[in-house]
Amino acid sequence: MTLRLKDFLELLETVAPARWAEPWDNPGLQIGSPAQEIKKIFSSLDPTLKALKSASKAHAQLLFTHHPLIFKPVSRVQTDTFPGNVMAEAVRDGIAIVAAHTNLDSAPDGINDILARLLGLTDVEILKPFEDGAGLGRIGNLSNPVSLSAMAQTVRKVLGEGDMRVVGERDRPIRRIAVVGGSGGSLVSLACEKGADLLVTGDVGHHVALEAETLGIALIDGGHFHSEKAAFRVFARNLETLLRSKGWKIEIETDEGEGNPLRAWDS
């Protein structure tokens, strides 16, 4: 059975409807024709030129990303800078680009649900509910309390990030945990109100760290890239299974060579 881009978009809408996206976001079709035939999908967290070239090398017709290529209206396409270089090459190579961003963060079985499962949380609830069982972040419990130091090691193992930042004492007991993939520092007070001992997220700024310290909630900053990459990889596998269950024999290849653009500097 032939998969068209419009079929993929319709299926994605059932999993992560665009109405669940934040007002500033721009998920969905970025480049391509709904009539385009898709035989293989390449998934990457970011729609970079490197990711697009990898998709082309993998003979994929669709680059599926978490972060959108286009956030704001484009007044011109300059082909020697981002995102114009990606747009031009995508059109030239006939590769469509589709993103599922904050709508996937909020969706059931999306980024934050997957993060909660990867961290071993039970009794998981939505941190900030929207509608229809969707919302920002998740909060749940560990079967047995562990120290903040031990939990940091678990987070490092799950996310694959060696350069984490932590607020809180190493021996502090952790039982209830809130998770927000990407940038979730704005939810630190809500996590505290809902009884979390710890918030796991990324992109934590100085003032958020001070707020967490004042509120008495521990915080682990695993980085924006790593806190989303691990979960998006799992989602891509689950999406491939869903596509195949619908009769489309489609492979989704994950960009294993993608790296964090922000890294520790070795002097």
Side-chain angles (χ1 to χ4, degrees):
M1 187 165 65
T2 301
L3 177 69
R4 302 285 177 183
L5 183 55
K6 66 178 180 63
D7 300 319
F8 180 83
L9 292 169
E10 288 170 1
L11 182 66
L12 191 60
E13 183 67 14
T14 68
V15 174
R19 69 179 184 276
W20 289 342
E22 294 292 290
W24 49 263
D25 201 6
N26 183 42
L29 180 62
Q30 309 285 294
I31 301 285
S33 166
Q36 183 172 349
E37 182 177 352
I38 306 298
K39 295 180 179 179
K40 185 176 181 180
I41 300 169
F42 190 84
S43 72
S44 183
L45 194 70
D46 292 301
T48 62
L49 189 60
K50 182 180 177 182
L52 187 67
K53 288 181 181 297
S54 296
S56 179
K57 187 176 180 180
H59 305 292
Q61 296 75 41
L62 170 60
L63 175 61
F64 175 55
T65 67
H66 185 45
H67 296 136
L69 176 65
I70 304 166
F71 274 105
K72 298 178 180 179
V74 177
S75 58
R76 66 179 180 273
V77 178
Q78 188 170 330
T79 59
D80 60 345
T81 60
F82 182 86
N85 58 348
V86 178
M87 296 167 68
E89 186 141 340
V91 172
R92 186 163 52 242
D93 291 352
I95 298 176
I97 301 178
V98 172
H101 193 209
T102 53
N103 51 324
L104 183 58
D105 291 335
S106 294
D109 296 319
I111 296 296
N112 288 303
D113 269 336
I114 292 171
L115 270 178
R117 287 197 292 271
L118 289 173
L119 293 175
L121 303 188
T122 62
D123 307 314
V124 176
E125 304 171 357
I126 297 171
L127 183 60
K128 185 178 180 180
F130 290 161
E131 55 169 310
D132 304 330
L136 292 176
R138 298 295 184 267
I139 186 167
N141 305 315
L142 295 173
S143 299
N144 297 294
V146 299
S147 68
L148 177 58
S149 177
M151 194 62 216
Q153 292 301 318
T154 297
V155 172
R156 178 178 281 115
K157 182 178 180 181
V158 168
L159 302 186
E161 168 60 20
D163 189 32
M164 296 187 312
R165 299 182 300 166
V166 180
V167 173
E169 298 298 323
R170 296 176 63 87
D171 59 353
R172 174 179 181 148
I174 302 296
R175 177 67 180 267
R176 188 160 174 80
I177 300 174
V179 295
V180 184
S183 182
S186 63
L187 297 177
V188 66
S189 62
L190 180 59
C192 186
E193 287 174 19
K194 294 202 169 184
D197 304 308
L198 167 68
L199 170 63
V200 178
T201 188
D203 273 353
V204 173
H206 177 74
H207 294 288
V208 170
L210 287 178
E211 183 181 8
E213 192 173 57
T214 301
L215 290 170
I217 181 174
L219 193 152
I220 294 178
D221 180 351
H224 191 123
F225 176 86
H226 288 279
S227 66
E228 292 182 327
K229 176 64 176 177
F232 193 62
R233 184 186 294 116
V234 173
F235 178 76
R237 292 200 299 266
N238 294 343
L239 185 60
E240 180 184 80
T241 300
L242 179 59
L243 283 163
R244 288 176 175 265
S245 73
K246 301 291 185 181
W248 290 300
K249 306 290 186 189
I250 296 294
E251 176 190 356
I252 299 182
E253 181 176 332
T254 301
D255 189 354
E256 297 297 342
E258 185 178 26
N260 188 355
L262 188 64
R263 60 189 184 278
W265 183 258
D266 295 324
S267 58

